[in-house]
Amino acid sequence: MFYIIGLGLCDEKDITVRGLEAVKGSSRVYLEAYTSILMVQKERLEAFYGKELIIADRDMVETQSDEILRDADKEDISLLVVGDPYGATTHTDIVLRARALNIPTRVIHNASIMNAVGACGLQLYNFGQTVSLVFFTETWRPDSFYDRIKENADLGMHTLVLLDIKVKEQSEENLARGRKIYEPPRYMSIPQAVSQLVEVEEKRRSGTLAPDSTLAIGLSRVGGGSEERIVAGTLAELLAQPPEVFGEPLHSLVIVGKRIHHLEVEYAESFAVNRETWRDVARRVYGCALD
């Protein structure tokens, strides 16, 4: 059996009982380590699970899946994934490869940012398309995400923006020269994300992401207990905050849609940089009826 097991959002204790049983019964256990990260090191996972973990980076998962799936038709093999297994298309692909080889598969689900984002007070059924925001470079500044945010905004829906992470990435020079030299890990912060959104708004000028009249909520380490941070405000207010306000990575960002309910406004108000501004923009720009 080939298991893909969600680990949840925080640490070694977030795995489900069913997932832990599968890990303990597996002859090889891989830890996928590039679509997201946990808040603890591999050694803590190994100590809690009682198993040695094999790091599966992007190259292994995407180009060497045969090695991961080796003998999975005869014994139990597990691939551990931060969050939920179906949070990334890569994991769908490896399930399809296993099925093509007639290897039985089982997915064991867990919490992910896709549902835990509700911690900010916005209702999950009011979210539209989720978008990803990548690090801009000098030569590559893609803005197709803006169209998805605008589509959501036109429907009044919230948008969850997943922020880029770079783990075991090569520089353009090393990639061109074929050198297996990797850059230090990088995790996009909420201020950097907002800066990039504002840059694209200045180019597009549709008003979808107008800094002073667009409400947004930044989240970090959701599910991490005392390490969790949630900060709400206009895009301009979030951009003005010192970086330490947002806590340690991983960060996510929500662009608030205009169908926001007054209970959502009131819940998220407790996270606001400025409560008066939060309520004023919600009432004046978003048309939310507040007492």
Side-chain angles (χ1 to χ4, degrees):
M1 179 74 71
F2 176 58
Y3 291 94
I4 300 188
I5 302 169
L7 296 183
L9 291 162
C10 182
D11 58 28
E12 71 276 17
K13 295 181 180 179
D14 279 0
I15 193 170
T16 64
V17 173
R18 191 182 306 277
L20 184 58
E21 288 174 345
V23 168
K24 289 183 176 295
S26 294
S27 56
R28 294 196 314 279
V29 182
Y30 295 89
L31 174 63
E32 188 266 89
Y34 73 92
T35 59
S36 189
I37 59 167
L38 278 182
M39 302 176 198
V40 295
Q41 297 300 310
K42 176 170 88 69
E43 291 73 20
R44 271 182 60 175
L45 300 180
E46 291 176 325
F48 188 78
Y49 302 156
K51 283 284 185 178
E52 180 182 352
L53 304 183
I54 304 166
I55 295 294
D57 59 18
R58 180 190 296 273
D59 185 57
M60 172 175 276
V61 175
E62 295 185 352
T63 67
Q64 301 175 37
S65 61
D66 288 348
E67 171 57 25
I68 295 176
L69 297 172
R70 176 173 52 83
D71 294 331
D73 56 337
K74 307 184 189 79
E75 54 196 62
D76 290 343
I77 308 296
S78 290
L79 175 65
L80 309 184
V81 174
V82 177
D84 186 81
Y86 285 138
T89 54
T90 293
H91 309 134
T92 302
D93 180 67
I94 198 167
V95 168
L96 291 174
R97 295 185 191 201
R99 289 176 179 172
L101 295 170
N102 293 317
I103 294 171
T105 61
R106 183 169 298 167
V107 174
I108 300 177
H109 296 281
N110 210 319
S112 78
I113 189 60
M114 302 291 281
N115 61 329
V117 67
C120 71
L122 302 183
Q123 297 299 310
L124 295 180
Y125 54 76
N126 285 337
F127 278 78
Q129 305 167 82
T130 297
V131 303
S132 296
L133 184 64
V134 301
F135 282 107
F136 285 177
T137 69
E138 291 298 321
T139 57
W140 191 54
R141 309 176 89 78
D143 62 2
S144 59
F145 66 85
Y146 187 93
D147 299 315
R148 306 288 82 75
I149 295 176
K150 186 176 186 306
E151 288 170 2
N152 288 343
D154 290 345
L155 294 171
M157 311 298 283
H158 312 313
T159 303
L160 172 60
V161 184
L162 304 177
L163 308 188
D164 200 8
I165 70 173
K166 297 291 187 185
V167 178
K168 203 175 181 183
E169 296 278 340
Q170 294 170 273
S171 67
E172 292 182 5
E173 179 183 354
N174 287 328
L175 190 62
R177 294 177 179 273
R179 296 188 298 211
K180 294 287 186 178
I181 300 174
Y182 301 101
E183 300 294 297
R186 290 192 297 151
Y187 310 102
M188 184 181 289
S189 66
I190 290 163
Q192 182 165 8
V194 174
S195 176
Q196 292 187 186
L197 295 181
V198 171
E199 176 184 322
V200 174
E201 175 60 38
E202 290 173 351
K203 182 173 72 172
R204 294 291 196 95
R205 295 186 177 278
S206 77
T208 300
L209 296 172
D212 293 316
S213 58
T214 300
L215 296 177
I217 304 176
L219 306 96
S220 71
R221 300 217 163 189
V222 176
S226 62
E227 294 187 72
E228 180 179 284
R229 297 286 184 275
I230 303 176
V231 184
T234 64
L235 288 175
E237 286 177 327
L238 296 188
L239 192 57
Q241 300 308 302
E244 58 268 21
V245 166
F246 300 102
E248 296 297 315
L250 296 176
H251 291 184
S252 301
L253 182 68
V254 177
I255 306 300
V256 177
K258 288 190 168 58
R259 283 173 55 183
I260 189 170
H261 190 272
H262 70 89
L263 292 178
E264 294 176 285
V265 173
E266 291 167 7
Y267 193 107
E269 182 183 338
S270 62
F271 307 121
V273 171
N274 184 308
R275 293 190 176 208
E276 291 184 5
T277 302
W278 176 263
R279 292 180 67 86
D280 176 63
V281 173
R283 182 187 297 109
R284 179 172 49 82
V285 180
Y286 285 63
C288 187
L290 299 171
D291 295 334

